[in-house]
Amino acid sequence: MKNSKIIDVARIANVSPATVSRVLNDSPLVTKETQSKVLKAIQELNYTPNAMGKQLRSRKTMTLGVVVLDIGVSYHAEIIKGIEQRANAMNYKILICNSQNEKKKELEYLSLLQNRTVDGIILVAPMLSDEEIAAFAGEGYTIGVIGRRLGHPNIPCSTTDNWKIGRDVVTHLAANGHRRIAFLNGYEEALDSIERLQGFKEGLAAAGLPFLSTLVEKGEFSEDGGYAAFCRLWEESGDFTAVFAANDEMALGVYKACFEYGIAIPDRMAVVGVDNIRITNYVSPKISSVEQPLYELGALLADKVIDQINGNLQQGQRNFMVDSRLVVKGSSQKGADSK
Amino acid sequence: MKNSKIIDVARIANVSPATVSRVLNDSPLVTKETQSKVLKAIQELNYTPNAMGKQLRSRKTMTLGVVVLDIGVSYHAEIIKGIEQRANAMNYKILICNSQNEKKKELEYLSLLQNRTVDGIILVAPMLSDEEIAAFAGEGYTIGVIGRRLGHPNIPCSTTDNWKIGRDVVTHLAANGHRRIAFLNGYEEALDSIERLQGFKEGLAAAGLPFLSTLVEKGEFSEDGGYAAFCRLWEESGDFTAVFAANDEMALGVYKACFEYGIAIPDRMAVVGVDNIRITNYVSPKISSVEQPLYELGALLADKVIDQINGNLQQGQRNFMVDSRLVVKGSSQKGADSK
DNA sequence: ACTATCAATGAAATCGATTTCAATATCCTT
DNA sequence: AAGGATATTGAAATCGATTTCATTGATAGT
């Protein structure tokens, strides 16, 4: 009743442990009769196989480790749901580790997971450098990354098409008559930032507008960061009618600044963010934003990592890009909120 | 270089595996010299012990399983952070499972985790009945619950003081002159609901106000639920000046309804919610709410569960209650938002 | 100087499953 | 009816660590 082992089942069913194991793993080599004998014994003892013994022998844990920057960010939570759902469908469990914006913790978790506790690791928006990540993959581990694109041949990555995001936003703003569009970028070095800036420029060019480096300001990916960046830009030039914020948090910062400066949105200032987080629909006017298929971002990579674990991922293709969708709301178009 | 085992280390260091194991586990029974020999060998091989072998023998995983209703809910994410932080401090890892509001998944995860994959399990806001949970604990497993209070002698639980929440809110509203206060409750059967209703009554009594069952309406713990409940109440009586919503989501629903009915907040209707989620500060006016120490709720229970695993939890005390704090904002007091 | 005690180490059993390989039983084929 | 192929089963090795128990060598007590 307490903790029965395979040998107890074997004794009761009057067979060998090997046979019990075969039944447990649906081997075709057992008679219906023995199978039912064993199953009955299993039921009787309420037996469940010990995971450790099983894993030790089979060298598999059927578990994926997920190291995430901050589980409290809805953005990340959604990605995790995608990973989990797909992993579960393929009989994998996931072990979530929260690095809480600390690079040190991220490293610790990575080594921790490596001691064969998991079959593969997925990093969500890691802080580690490409080289550091690659070093882990070099040790023979399966690692995947979401939100970054490393050139490593053994590390599958899933990302959003950042260029498209930049182009789409600019195109939308230009179509609404804006000719001087500011860009509040995130960290300069972040791949997201670089690519979106590029898309931003492409969009300007396509709309026949000049690119003005004075209208680009960088800042932290946070409400405060957006607030500060907007203030700097406004104080310096003040000569723009629309802002493209690198994410919705920054856009919220812009709202705060505009409120304080008495700048009306969208009449005197159009605002567009990225991520389409829930809050964008609760402020007034609602914030236009670019929706990323977060769930898919996670599910896709889980798929690829599991493929790689099973050796089913063909060489060559390692970067997977998902599409995005601009959601136009009141912050960038008059009357868009009413419905 | 690839996967070295303890015996490889032993060979290089010219000792037995047993000695290596002793070094790994800081046994006092090794000379400084042997220790350094072994450590050097470990470094040389870049050896890390295989988790499965270790766990199999020591019958410990140093892992806590956490089954959570919905990882996307910021409320839950915060609790998890508390669990994780404390668990990490005591050298435990956590394995998070997302039951996604499905009782079936919750059960599956629970059995899954039970096969000795984890040393203990924490359920966050479980859907399972007390009896179902108790059944698992009966099998000799360590289980803890957050957000419910079961009478089971072996199941530590951490909860908020719901009575106090009810009393505090009513006291605040009564102090602001409200005499007819509606209560939008969650599921009637939920312990939270029952206790808050009780606190609500106590608060009324303390303020010398009568309890009117016509001013209590139940609904789902969601924005839509709050919306619907408020509408029913408003259509039926319409005779109240303040609403106490069981959580902030419901309060948001109340906002939506008030907007549609053209009821001004807080002038014609005061609103108070529970949880103090982020959005409450982004709507206008900001929503007064009761802040629960979520992080602490998690950390506390992690502590207790680990104590129980190690047999250090004395019998008797099993229910741990944490305090809450009413945050008054513009939705229930004029001018409270300005600063 | 001789034995009792203790510290340090190693050999081997062990955790609980899977898996290989050998053994048996059964069924065809000619 | 005999030999060979095939389907089931079991015995034993194995995964990689920990841990018990025995052994050795050293120290101390008388």
Side-chain angles (χ1 to χ4, degrees), chain A residues 2-227:
Chain A
K2 254 304 160 57
N3 271 336
S4 36
K5 337 179 203 177
I6 202 170
I7 189 134
D8 301 323
V9 177
R11 256 195 280 274
I12 297 223
N14 219 347
V15 296
S16 74
T19 302
V20 177
S21 173
R22 292 195 185 96
V23 171
L24 289 171
N25 295 285
D26 300 313
S27 160
L29 298 167
V30 270
T31 350
K32 288 265 183 302
E33 310 156 63
T34 20
Q35 191 191 34
S36 67
K37 262 198 310 184
V38 171
L39 287 177
K40 199 192 304 176
I42 287 178
Q43 276 228 303
E44 185 178 332
L45 287 174
N46 194 16
Y47 166 83
T48 67
N50 175 298
M52 291 168 250
K54 182 170 177 145
Q55 292 172 179
L56 176 58
R57 184 61 230 236
S58 59
R59 316 187 60 62
K60 284 212 158 193
T61 64
M62 297 306 282
T63 304
L64 252 37
V66 178
V67 181
V68 61
L69 197 67
D70 184 354
I71 206 185
V73 174
S74 58
Y75 179 92
H76 294 146
E78 196 60 33
I79 291 179
I80 290 176
K81 281 188 195 173
I83 297 174
E84 190 190 29
Q85 203 270 357
R86 186 63 115 265
N88 282 169
M90 305 178 94
N91 261 313
Y92 280 78
K93 290 165 281 174
I94 70 172
L95 183 67
I96 301 175
C97 303
N98 196 41
S99 64
Q100 206 57 53
N101 286 290
E102 291 173 36
K103 190 164 169 178
K104 184 165 149 287
K105 270 189 108 174
E106 194 172 304
L107 258 170
E108 280 173 10
Y109 273 130
L110 205 44
S111 344
L112 193 71
L113 290 174
Q114 235 190 180
N115 308 349
R116 304 271 53 188
T117 315
V118 297
D119 296 341
I121 298 177
I122 294 179
L123 303 176
V124 179
M127 311 188 81
L128 295 175
S129 71
D130 289 16
E131 292 71 29
E132 286 169 309
I133 296 172
F136 279 96
E139 313 258 348
Y141 280 98
T142 297
I143 293 191
V145 177
I146 295 180
R148 278 252 289 287
R149 218 171 304 121
L150 336 195
H152 197 98
N154 287 325
I155 304 182
C157 304
S158 73
T159 50
T160 328
D161 186 339
N162 283 304
W163 293 282
K164 179 167 181 292
I165 290 180
R167 286 196 306 271
D168 284 355
V169 171
V170 173
T171 305
H172 160 64
L173 290 171
N176 274 49
H178 295 280
R179 309 196 51 75
R180 299 184 69 82
I181 304 169
F183 181 27
L184 299 192
N185 210 350
Y187 306 114
E188 249 178 337
E189 330 80 46
L191 189 69
D192 285 2
S193 303
I194 296 169
E195 294 175 351
R196 284 179 197 169
L197 179 59
Q198 228 158 349
F200 178 76
K201 289 180 185 172
E202 291 172 21
L204 286 176
L209 298 174
F211 169 72
L212 303 169
S213 61
T214 51
L215 290 184
V216 176
E217 181 70 39
K218 64 185 178 236
E220 286 196 16
F221 278 121
S222 66
E223 186 171 353
D224 288 346
Y227 174 81

Side-chain angles (χ1 to χ4, degrees), chain B residues 234-256:
Chain B
W234 186 251
E235 301 286 350
E236 279 172 24
S237 76
D239 186 18
F240 52 95
T241 62
V243 190
F244 170 26
N247 70 4
D248 291 335
E249 295 291 342
M250 296 183 83
L252 287 170
V254 170
Y255 264 50
K256 187 177 164 200

Side-chain angles (χ1 to χ4, degrees), chain A residues 1-3 46 48-53 55-57 59-61 63 70-74 77-78 80-81 84-85 88 93-100 105 109 112-117 119 138-141 223 249 252 277-279 282-284, chain B residues 1-3 46 48-53 55-57 59-61 63 70-74 77-78 80-81 84-85 88 93-100 105 109 112-117 119 138-141 223 249 252 277-279 282-284:
Chain A
M1 179 173 313
K2 254 304 160 57
N3 271 336
N46 194 16
T48 67
N50 175 298
M52 291 168 250
Q55 292 172 179
L56 176 58
R57 184 61 230 236
R59 316 187 60 62
K60 284 212 158 193
T61 64
T63 304
D70 184 354
I71 206 185
V73 174
S74 58
E78 196 60 33
I80 290 176
K81 281 188 195 173
E84 190 190 29
Q85 203 270 357
N88 282 169
K93 290 165 281 174
I94 70 172
L95 183 67
I96 301 175
C97 303
N98 196 41
S99 64
Q100 206 57 53
K105 270 189 108 174
Y109 273 130
L112 193 71
L113 290 174
Q114 235 190 180
N115 308 349
R116 304 271 53 188
T117 315
D119 296 341
E139 313 258 348
Y141 280 98
E223 186 171 353
E249 294 292 343
L252 287 170
I277 63 177
R278 188 177 175 203
I279 289 191
Y282 287 81
V283 292
S284 178
Chain B
M1 177 174 313
K2 254 302 160 53
N3 273 338
N46 194 15
T48 67
N50 176 298
M52 290 169 254
Q55 292 172 181
L56 175 57
R57 182 62 231 237
R59 315 187 60 64
K60 285 214 155 192
T61 63
T63 304
D70 184 354
I71 204 186
V73 174
S74 58
E78 197 58 35
I80 290 177
K81 281 188 196 174
E84 191 191 28
Q85 203 270 357
N88 283 169
K93 291 166 282 176
I94 70 172
L95 181 69
I96 300 175
C97 302
N98 196 41
S99 65
Q100 206 57 54
K105 271 189 107 175
Y109 273 129
L112 193 70
L113 291 174
Q114 233 190 180
N115 308 348
R116 302 274 54 189
T117 315
D119 297 340
E139 312 260 347
Y141 281 98
E223 185 171 353
E249 295 291 342
L252 287 170
I277 63 177
R278 187 175 175 203
I279 289 191
Y282 286 81
V283 293
S284 178

Side-chain angles (χ1 to χ4, degrees), chain B residues 305-322:
Chain B
V305 165
I306 293 173
D307 276 354
Q308 167 121 329
I309 289 171
N310 299 322
N312 296 333
L313 191 57
Q314 66 256 52
Q315 293 286 335
Q317 238 214 322
R318 282 294 174 278
N319 291 325
F320 305 91
M321 220 186 282
V322 297

